Amino acid sequence: MKNQAERRSKKPEWYMQTIRRLNQYPEDKKRLCILTAQLEREQPKLTAGYSLTPGGDKISDQTGGIAAKRWETSQEIKECTLRIEEIDIILAGFEEDEKKLIELRYFSKHNYDWWVAEQVNLSLRTYYRVRDELVAEAAVLLGLYRRDQVRA
């Protein structure tokens, strides 16, 4: 049988999904830059190569392959851009001190709870309460959680 501390520390799935989305945000921004650079670089050769010797059964379509790769890259860019825009919209709805808390906790490398609480000038207990409220608000906006759901 689990003790009370173990039951309290278990977070619901929507909470964990929201945390993953927030943690993913800085990586998405870097990935978007890389994908954009790759898309600009993926171009077919301007001249086609022809050979009079039979090529056998091998069929090569360099332009088609590049077009397929460009399409995949552009799809990933769209998905990445959407994830970034969703978090940007959520952050825009927060007050400056709330935004700072989220940025320090989920977007920086030095993201220890006690350190973030100190940076935003909150007691650790108040910091946990505010952080959880902000994560719940983000989850609602992301469609991962409804306010009327019973808390687990």
Side-chain angles (χ1 to χ4, degrees):
M1 183 171 179
K2 293 182 180 179
N3 65 31
Q4 190 175 4
E6 287 175 334
R7 283 192 306 260
R8 260 189 309 198
S9 67
K10 178 131 173 74
K11 299 289 185 184
E13 184 58 29
W14 61 264
Y15 187 94
M16 299 310 296
Q17 288 175 333
T18 306
I19 298 300
R20 284 190 290 274
R21 289 289 301 277
L22 291 169
N23 284 329
Q24 185 181 358
Y25 178 78
E27 297 302 317
D28 280 341
K29 290 185 98 170
K30 292 175 194 172
R31 182 73 180 137
L32 182 60
C33 292
I34 291 168
L35 288 169
T36 303
Q38 288 175 347
L39 186 64
E40 291 172 2
R41 212 177 48 241
E42 292 169 358
Q43 299 291 334
K45 293 180 184 174
L46 296 176
T47 57
Y50 295 100
S51 173
L52 296 175
T53 58
D57 294 335
K58 184 179 174 187
I59 298 174
S60 175
D61 182 7
Q62 180 202 24
T63 304
I66 290 174
K69 178 68 174 155
R70 285 180 59 84
W71 183 84
E72 289 172 7
T73 303
S74 66
Q75 290 303 112
E76 192 173 348
I77 286 173
K78 286 179 187 176
E79 293 167 8
C80 197
T81 300
L82 177 61
R83 287 192 305 267
I84 291 169
E85 288 175 355
E86 287 174 341
I87 299 300
D88 285 341
I89 290 167
I90 289 168
L91 290 175
F94 289 159
E95 300 291 327
E96 286 303 313
D97 54 340
E98 296 170 335
K99 192 183 305 185
K100 182 178 179 184
L101 184 148
I102 293 294
E103 289 171 351
L104 289 171
R105 177 61 181 93
Y106 299 107
F107 305 160
S108 75
K109 291 182 181 180
H110 307 289
N111 58 3
Y112 297 107
D113 287 324
W114 61 266
W115 181 82
V116 176
E118 191 175 279
Q119 299 302 307
V120 295
N121 201 24
L122 294 173
S123 70
L124 196 55
R125 184 175 177 168
T126 302
Y127 159 79
Y128 284 130
R129 183 183 51 76
V130 171
R131 181 202 64 191
D132 289 347
E133 288 172 2
L134 293 174
V135 169
E137 180 67 25
V140 168
L141 293 170
L142 289 169
L144 301 173
Y145 171 72
R146 289 190 339 253
R147 290 188 202 284
D148 61 349
Q149 287 177 319
V150 177
R151 291 190 183 245

